[in-house]
Amino acid sequence: YKMRISTRTLTGVALFTALVVVLQFVSSAVRFGPFSITLALIPIVVGAALYGPWAGAWLGFVFGMVVLLSGDAAPFLTVNPLGTILTVLVKGMGAGLVSGLVYRALAKKNEWLGTILGAFVAPITNTGLFLLGCLLFFMPTITEWGTAAGFPSVGSYMIFGLVGLNFLVEALTILVLSPVIVRLVKLGRNSAHQKDNR
C-alpha cells in the first residue's frame, strides 16, 4: 500500500512538473508591464497542497529553471548572472515551500482556509523575494530603469512599474483557480478510493 501511495505521489508530482513547464512557457507571452505574469504558480500551489511543501519547493525550482531558460530573466542576467539565478530559483522554491507549509498548518482545522491562504501566500512570497533580490543585486540598474520610465523614486518604480499590475493579476488568478482545482482533484481521488474499496 505504501508503494502505491509513493507511486501515485511521484506520478502526480511529475504531472504537475509538466504543467509548470507548459504554463510558464505559455504565460511568458502574456505581459502586464515589463514582465510576464506567472500562471505557473497555480500548479505550484495545487501541487504543494496535494503533495506537501517539498513538492511545492520542487515545482518552484522547475518554474525558476523555465524562467531562466525561456529568456524571461534576460534583462537581469546581463547585469548580474549569479544574482539573477539565485533570485529566480529562491523566489520560486520559496513560493512553493511557504504555500505548502501554510496549507499543511491550516488544512487539518479548515481545509478551505488552508487552500485559500496557501494560494494567497504564494504570489506574496514570489514577489517579495523578487523585490529582495532586486535590492540585493540590481539597485543601480533598477534606479536607471525607474528614472528612464519617469517614476519619481526607485521605490515607486519597483512597486508600480516592476510588480504592481502583474502581482494583482497573478494573485487574483491563483486565489480564484487554486482552491477549485484542489477541491476537484481531492473529489476525484476520493471517488477513486471508494471504487478501490468496493
Side-chain angles (χ1 to χ4, degrees), residues 2-161:
K2 280 186 178 177
M3 189 63 192
R4 199 175 78 181
I5 290 174
S6 66
T7 305
R8 181 187 285 181
T9 299
L10 285 172
T11 305
V13 171
L15 178 67
F16 278 91
T17 300
L19 276 172
V20 167
V21 173
V22 170
L23 276 176
Q24 186 54 32
F25 274 116
V26 168
S27 67
S28 65
V30 182
R31 291 178 184 271
F32 295 93
F35 301 106
S36 61
I37 63 164
T38 308
L39 294 177
L41 282 176
I42 297 166
I44 292 170
V45 167
V46 175
L50 295 174
Y51 303 109
W54 295 108
W58 161 254
L59 294 170
F61 172 79
V62 171
F63 154 59
M65 290 301 296
V66 175
V67 168
L68 292 169
L69 295 172
S70 69
D72 224 19
F76 293 98
L77 277 168
T78 56
V79 177
N80 185 334
L82 183 61
T84 303
I85 292 165
L86 275 172
T87 301
V88 169
L89 293 180
V90 168
K91 78 184 183 67
M93 292 172 73
L97 182 66
V98 172
S99 177
L101 289 171
V102 167
Y103 174 82
R104 181 174 279 177
L106 296 172
K108 287 174 187 166
K109 293 176 182 175
N110 187 325
E111 190 173 354
W112 184 83
L113 184 65
T115 309
I116 291 287
L117 288 179
F120 186 66
V121 298
I124 290 173
T125 305
N126 185 54
T127 301
L129 290 172
F130 169 71
L131 289 173
L132 182 62
C134 287
L135 287 169
L136 292 174
F137 303 115
F138 307 106
M139 278 315 286
T141 303
I142 286 172
T143 304
E144 285 174 25
W145 291 351
T147 305
F151 280 84
S153 70
V154 69
S156 63
Y157 174 67
M158 287 175 75
I159 300 300
F160 298 107

Side-chain angles (χ1 to χ4, degrees), residues 166-182:
N166 277 25
F167 172 77
L168 289 175
V169 172
E170 287 171 12
L172 285 171
T173 308
I174 292 160
L175 276 170
V176 170
L177 293 179
S178 298
V180 174
I181 297 167
V182 170

